[in-house]
Amino acid sequence: MCILEAPEEEGIYIAEIDMDLLRDYREHEVMGEKYRHPEKYGAITEG
């Protein structure tokens, strides 16, 4: 998903983002919330 396409020059770019549309996209994309399992992260964060 491309939120903002900017030229290659450095700068500050402003974009209006529809947060409801972004949240809906993130809920249904392959890497969305339903694939996260924080209860399983302990094994990789302990140490």
Side-chain angles (χ1 to χ4, degrees):
M1 174 182 210
C2 179
I3 296 175
L4 172 70
E5 188 172 341
E8 294 201 17
E9 301 94 40
E10 291 184 15
I12 297 173
Y13 302 97
I14 299 172
E16 287 189 28
I17 299 172
D18 182 332
M19 295 305 292
D20 291 329
L21 184 63
L22 182 60
R23 286 184 187 106
D24 184 61
Y25 171 79
R26 288 183 174 173
E27 279 184 24
H28 298 99
E29 70 169 321
V30 174
M31 298 303 288
E33 284 291 322
K34 60 186 170 186
Y35 296 100
R36 295 184 181 155
H37 301 280
E39 69 280 0
K40 297 179 182 177
Y41 298 165
I44 60 173
T45 59
E46 295 172 359

